Amino acid sequence: MKPTKQIHQQLIDLCKKNDAKAQMQLYKLYCNAMLIVAHRYVKDRFIAEDIMQDAFIKAFRKIECYKNEVPFGAWLKRIVINQSIDHLKKNKLELVSINEEVYKKEDEQDWQVECTISVEGIVNVIKSLKEKYRLVLSLYLLEGYDHKEIAQVLNITENTSRTHLLRGKRILKEQLKSTSYAEGY
């Protein structure tokens, strides 16, 4: 039996030849994961599905650009994230630049969360935040982007990214505290 990586590479090579069956197989392998990624950024599941579909179309059109430098899933995920953010920008999402605001670095040790709160619960609270905080938190905490990358993707300054992250974390912590208190009763 061939390793999974070789099977995926064969599918990718066939997709580069515009093979519809290979495209469908690759789609089936990644569609659920990519839908979850899109849904992190847009709250509406139907819009997330549209974004995911558009991302696959874009990926198949640009598959020649894929050079095996990163895993295919990571390459595709980047396309889905960019499509999601483009959708939000088209819908007039305002990411306010805060160039002169002074901020303090929060103590990273102070990130204790009640063990009764599930990862799904935390992600749901992140989804409930204002768009500007939700985007930065998702990109930073869930996707592993740094502030420079976030600034480029969202077309904001690195300082604004840091500020949105700090404010979003603060709000997230407060909401998680109230969630754990509510669950305790």
Side-chain angles (χ1 to χ4, degrees):
M1 188 174 213
K2 294 181 181 180
T4 305
K5 186 176 181 182
Q6 286 181 347
I7 292 170
H8 287 190
Q9 188 56 52
Q10 288 174 349
L11 286 174
I12 292 164
D13 291 341
L14 288 170
C15 288
K16 287 181 178 182
K17 295 177 183 173
N18 212 20
D19 183 299
K21 286 183 183 179
Q23 289 174 339
M24 185 52 82
Q25 284 181 289
L26 209 54
Y27 174 83
K28 286 180 180 178
L29 285 169
Y30 290 98
C31 68
N32 290 335
M34 296 304 125
L35 178 59
I36 290 168
V37 171
H39 198 237
R40 276 189 207 140
Y41 294 92
V42 295
K43 294 181 181 181
D44 186 296
R45 183 172 173 84
F46 295 110
I47 293 172
E49 287 174 1
D50 288 345
I51 288 169
M52 186 254 316
Q53 296 285 341
D54 291 343
F56 269 99
I57 291 168
K58 187 174 189 174
F60 289 137
R61 283 186 185 147
K62 303 220 177 223
I63 200 153
E64 289 297 325
C65 298
Y66 176 67
K67 304 294 183 203
N68 293 337
E69 295 166 351
V70 296
F72 181 78
W75 182 76
L76 182 59
K77 183 178 180 181
R78 176 80 94 179
I79 294 171
V80 172
I81 290 169
N82 288 337
Q83 288 288 116
S84 300
I85 291 169
D86 287 348
H87 170 79
L88 293 171
K89 284 178 181 177
K90 284 179 192 169
N91 288 316
K92 305 208 183 337
L93 168 69
E94 289 187 32
L95 296 168
V96 180
S97 180
I98 308 167
N99 293 323
E100 300 302 318
E101 183 165 333
V102 179
Y103 62 92
K104 66 179 180 79
K105 182 173 170 108
E106 284 193 16
D107 183 10
E108 292 295 324
Q109 309 285 317
D110 190 26
W111 258 98
Q112 300 294 323
V113 177
E114 291 288 322
C115 60
T116 59
I117 300 174
S118 67
V119 172
E120 183 179 318
I122 294 170
V123 171
N124 284 336
V125 173
I126 290 173
K127 284 180 182 179
S128 73
L129 298 176
K130 284 184 176 181
E131 296 281 338
K132 60 185 177 183
Y133 302 135
R134 184 171 55 82
L135 284 174
V136 173
L137 277 170
S138 294
L139 289 169
Y140 188 85
L141 297 175
L142 303 176
E143 311 299 345
Y145 283 39
D146 63 24
H147 290 293
K148 184 175 183 177
E149 293 170 315
I150 294 169
Q152 289 173 344
V153 169
L154 298 179
N155 197 26
I156 59 177
T157 66
E158 288 182 50
N159 192 33
T160 300
S161 175
R162 285 185 190 91
T163 302
H164 287 339
L165 179 67
L166 290 173
R167 287 180 178 172
K169 277 183 174 181
R170 192 176 310 121
I171 295 166
L172 177 62
K173 286 191 327 188
E174 289 304 313
Q175 289 186 5
L176 288 174
K177 284 180 188 176
S178 65
T179 300
S180 66
Y181 292 140
E183 289 175 355
Y185 289 108

Coordinates of all heavy atoms in Angstrom, one line a residue, residues 84-124:
S84 N -11.9 34.1 2.7 CA -12.8 34.5 3.8 C -12.6 36.0 4.2 O -13.6 36.8 4.3 CB -12.6 33.7 5.1 OG -12.8 32.3 4.8
I85 N -11.4 36.4 4.3 CA -11.1 37.8 4.6 C -11.5 38.7 3.5 O -12.0 39.8 3.7 CB -9.6 37.9 5.0 CG1 -9.4 37.2 6.3 CG2 -9.2 39.4 5.1 CD1 -8.0 37.1 6.7
D86 N -11.3 38.3 2.2 CA -11.7 39.1 1.1 C -13.2 39.3 1.1 O -13.7 40.4 0.8 CB -11.3 38.4 -0.2 CG -9.8 38.6 -0.5 OD1 -9.1 39.3 0.2 OD2 -9.3 37.8 -1.4
H87 N -14.0 38.2 1.5 CA -15.4 38.4 1.6 C -15.8 39.4 2.6 O -16.7 40.2 2.4 CB -16.0 37.0 1.9 CG -17.5 37.1 2.3 ND1 -18.5 37.2 1.3 CD2 -18.1 37.2 3.5 CE1 -19.6 37.3 1.9 NE2 -19.4 37.3 3.3
L88 N -15.1 39.3 3.8 CA -15.4 40.3 4.8 C -15.1 41.7 4.4 O -15.8 42.7 4.7 CB -14.7 39.9 6.1 CG -15.1 38.6 6.8 CD1 -14.2 38.2 7.9 CD2 -16.5 38.7 7.3
K89 N -14.0 41.9 3.7 CA -13.6 43.2 3.2 C -14.7 43.7 2.2 O -15.0 44.9 2.3 CB -12.3 43.2 2.6 CG -11.1 43.1 3.6 CD -9.8 43.0 2.8 CE -8.6 42.9 3.8 NZ -7.3 42.8 3.1
K90 N -15.1 42.9 1.4 CA -16.2 43.3 0.4 C -17.4 43.7 1.1 O -18.2 44.6 0.6 CB -16.5 42.1 -0.6 CG -15.4 41.9 -1.6 CD -15.8 40.7 -2.5 CE -14.7 40.3 -3.3 NZ -14.9 39.0 -4.0
N91 N -17.7 43.2 2.2 CA -18.9 43.5 3.0 C -18.6 44.7 4.0 O -19.2 44.8 5.0 CB -19.5 42.3 3.7 CG -20.1 41.4 2.7 OD1 -20.8 41.8 1.8 ND2 -19.8 40.1 2.9
K92 N -17.6 45.5 3.6 CA -17.3 46.7 4.3 C -16.9 46.5 5.8 O -17.3 47.3 6.6 CB -18.5 47.7 4.2 CG -18.9 48.0 2.8 CD -19.4 49.3 2.6 CE -19.9 49.6 1.2 NZ -19.5 49.0 0.1
L93 N -16.2 45.5 6.1 CA -15.7 45.3 7.4 C -14.7 46.4 7.7 O -13.8 46.6 6.9 CB -15.0 43.9 7.5 CG -14.1 43.7 8.8 CD1 -15.1 43.6 10.0 CD2 -13.3 42.5 8.7
E94 N -14.9 47.1 8.7 CA -14.0 48.2 9.0 C -13.0 47.8 10.1 O -13.4 47.4 11.2 CB -14.7 49.4 9.5 CG -15.5 50.1 8.4 CD -16.1 51.4 8.9 OE1 -15.5 52.1 9.7 OE2 -17.2 51.7 8.3
L95 N -11.7 47.7 9.7 CA -10.7 47.5 10.7 C -10.0 48.8 10.9 O -9.2 49.3 10.1 CB -9.7 46.4 10.1 CG -10.3 45.1 9.8 CD1 -9.4 44.2 9.0 CD2 -10.6 44.4 11.1
V96 N -10.3 49.4 12.1 CA -9.8 50.7 12.4 C -8.3 50.6 12.7 O -7.9 49.8 13.6 CB -10.6 51.3 13.5 CG1 -10.2 52.7 13.9 CG2 -12.1 51.3 13.2
S97 N -7.6 51.5 12.1 CA -6.2 51.6 12.4 C -5.9 52.5 13.7 O -6.5 53.6 13.7 CB -5.4 52.2 11.2 OG -4.0 52.3 11.5
I98 N -5.2 51.9 14.6 CA -5.0 52.7 15.8 C -3.4 52.9 15.9 O -2.7 52.1 16.6 CB -5.5 51.9 17.1 CG1 -6.9 51.5 16.8 CG2 -5.3 52.7 18.3 CD1 -7.5 50.5 17.8
N99 N -2.9 53.9 15.3 CA -1.5 54.1 15.2 C -0.9 54.7 16.4 O 0.2 54.4 16.8 CB -1.2 55.0 14.0 CG -1.5 54.4 12.7 OD1 -1.3 53.2 12.5 ND2 -2.0 55.1 11.8
E100 N -1.6 55.5 17.1 CA -1.0 56.2 18.2 C -1.4 55.7 19.6 O -0.9 56.2 20.6 CB -1.5 57.7 18.2 CG -1.1 58.4 16.9 CD 0.4 58.4 16.7 OE1 1.2 58.6 17.7 OE2 0.8 58.3 15.6
E101 N -2.2 54.6 19.6 CA -2.6 54.1 20.9 C -1.5 53.3 21.6 O -0.7 52.6 21.0 CB -3.8 53.1 20.7 CG -4.3 52.6 22.0 CD -5.6 51.9 21.9 OE1 -6.4 52.3 21.0 OE2 -5.9 51.1 22.7
V102 N -1.3 53.6 22.9 CA -0.3 52.9 23.7 C -1.0 51.7 24.3 O -2.1 51.7 24.7 CB 0.2 53.9 24.8 CG1 1.2 53.2 25.7 CG2 0.7 55.2 24.3
Y103 N -0.2 50.6 24.2 CA -0.8 49.4 24.8 C 0.3 48.7 25.7 O 1.5 49.0 25.5 CB -1.2 48.4 23.7 CG -0.1 48.0 22.8 CD1 0.7 46.9 23.0 CD2 0.3 48.8 21.7 CE1 1.7 46.5 22.2 CE2 1.4 48.4 20.9 CZ 2.1 47.3 21.1 OH 3.1 46.9 20.3
K104 N -0.2 47.9 26.6 CA 0.8 47.2 27.4 C 0.7 45.7 27.1 O -0.4 45.2 26.7 CB 0.4 47.4 28.9 CG -0.9 46.8 29.3 CD -1.1 47.1 30.8 CE -2.4 46.5 31.3 NZ -2.4 45.1 31.5
K105 N 1.8 45.0 27.2 CA 1.8 43.6 27.0 C 1.2 42.9 28.2 O 1.6 43.1 29.3 CB 3.2 43.1 26.7 CG 3.3 41.7 26.4 CD 4.7 41.3 26.0 CE 4.8 39.8 26.0 NZ 5.0 39.3 24.7
E106 N 0.2 42.1 27.9 CA -0.4 41.4 29.0 C 0.4 40.2 29.4 O 1.2 39.7 28.6 CB -1.8 40.8 28.6 CG -2.9 41.9 28.5 CD -4.2 41.3 28.4 OE1 -4.4 40.1 28.6 OE2 -5.1 42.1 28.1
D107 N 0.3 39.9 30.7 CA 1.1 38.7 31.2 C 0.5 37.5 30.6 O -0.6 37.1 30.8 CB 1.0 38.7 32.7 CG 1.8 37.6 33.3 OD1 2.6 37.0 32.6 OD2 1.6 37.4 34.5
E108 N 1.4 36.8 29.8 CA 0.9 35.6 29.1 C 0.6 34.4 30.1 O 0.0 33.5 29.8 CB 1.9 35.1 28.0 CG 2.1 36.0 26.9 CD 0.8 36.1 26.0 OE1 0.1 35.1 25.8 OE2 0.5 37.2 25.5
Q109 N 1.2 34.5 31.3 CA 0.9 33.5 32.3 C -0.5 33.6 32.8 O -1.0 32.6 33.3 CB 1.9 33.8 33.5 CG 3.3 34.0 33.2 CD 4.0 32.6 32.8 OE1 3.7 31.7 33.5 NE2 4.8 32.6 31.8
D110 N -1.2 34.7 32.6 CA -2.5 35.0 33.1 C -3.6 34.4 32.1 O -4.6 35.1 31.9 CB -2.7 36.5 33.4 CG -4.0 36.7 34.1 OD1 -4.5 35.8 34.8 OD2 -4.5 37.8 33.9
W111 N -3.3 33.3 31.5 CA -4.2 32.7 30.5 C -4.8 31.4 31.0 O -5.0 30.5 30.2 CB -3.5 32.6 29.2 CG -3.9 33.6 28.2 CD1 -3.2 34.7 27.9 CD2 -5.1 33.7 27.5 NE1 -3.9 35.5 27.0 CE2 -5.0 34.9 26.7 CE3 -6.2 32.9 27.3 CZ2 -6.1 35.3 25.9 CZ3 -7.2 33.3 26.5 CH2 -7.1 34.5 25.8
Q112 N -5.1 31.4 32.3 CA -5.7 30.1 32.8 C -7.1 30.1 32.5 O -7.8 31.1 32.6 CB -5.5 30.1 34.4 CG -4.1 30.2 34.8 CD -3.3 29.0 34.5 OE1 -3.8 27.9 34.5 NE2 -2.0 29.1 34.1
V113 N -7.6 29.0 32.0 CA -9.0 28.8 31.6 C -9.5 27.6 32.4 O -8.8 26.6 32.6 CB -9.1 28.5 30.1 CG1 -10.6 28.2 29.7 CG2 -8.6 29.7 29.3
E114 N -10.7 27.7 32.9 CA -11.3 26.6 33.6 C -11.3 25.3 32.8 O -11.6 25.4 31.6 CB -12.8 26.9 34.0 CG -12.9 28.0 35.0 CD -12.5 27.5 36.4 OE1 -12.8 26.4 36.8 OE2 -11.9 28.4 37.1
C115 N -10.9 24.2 33.4 CA -10.8 23.0 32.6 C -12.1 22.4 32.2 O -12.2 21.5 31.3 CB -10.0 21.9 33.4 SG -10.7 21.5 34.9
T116 N -13.2 23.0 32.7 CA -14.5 22.6 32.3 C -15.0 23.2 31.0 O -15.9 22.7 30.4 CB -15.6 22.9 33.4 OG1 -15.6 24.4 33.5 CG2 -15.3 22.3 34.7
I117 N -14.2 24.2 30.5 CA -14.6 24.8 29.2 C -13.9 24.0 28.1 O -12.6 23.9 28.1 CB -14.2 26.3 29.2 CG1 -14.9 27.0 30.3 CG2 -14.5 26.9 27.8 CD1 -14.4 28.5 30.4
S118 N -14.6 23.6 27.1 CA -14.1 22.8 26.0 C -13.4 23.7 25.0 O -13.7 24.9 24.9 CB -15.2 22.0 25.3 OG -16.1 22.8 24.7
V119 N -12.6 23.1 24.1 CA -12.0 23.9 23.0 C -13.1 24.4 22.1 O -13.1 25.6 21.7 CB -11.1 23.0 22.2 CG1 -10.6 23.7 20.9 CG2 -9.9 22.6 23.0
E120 N -14.2 23.6 21.9 CA -15.3 24.1 21.1 C -16.0 25.3 21.8 O -16.4 26.2 21.1 CB -16.3 22.9 21.0 CG -17.5 23.3 20.1 CD -18.5 22.1 19.9 OE1 -18.0 21.0 19.8 OE2 -19.7 22.4 20.0
G121 N -16.1 25.3 23.1 CA -16.7 26.4 23.8 C -15.8 27.7 23.6 O -16.4 28.7 23.5
I122 N -14.5 27.5 23.7 CA -13.6 28.7 23.5 C -13.8 29.2 22.1 O -13.9 30.4 21.9 CB -12.2 28.3 23.8 CG1 -12.0 28.0 25.3 CG2 -11.2 29.4 23.4 CD1 -10.7 27.3 25.6
V123 N -13.8 28.3 21.1 CA -14.0 28.7 19.7 C -15.3 29.4 19.5 O -15.4 30.4 18.8 CB -13.8 27.5 18.7 CG1 -14.2 27.9 17.3 CG2 -12.3 27.0 18.7
N124 N -16.4 28.9 20.1 CA -17.7 29.6 20.0 C -17.7 31.0 20.6 O -18.3 31.9 20.1 CB -18.8 28.7 20.7 CG -19.1 27.5 19.8 OD1 -18.9 27.5 18.6 ND2 -19.6 26.5 20.5

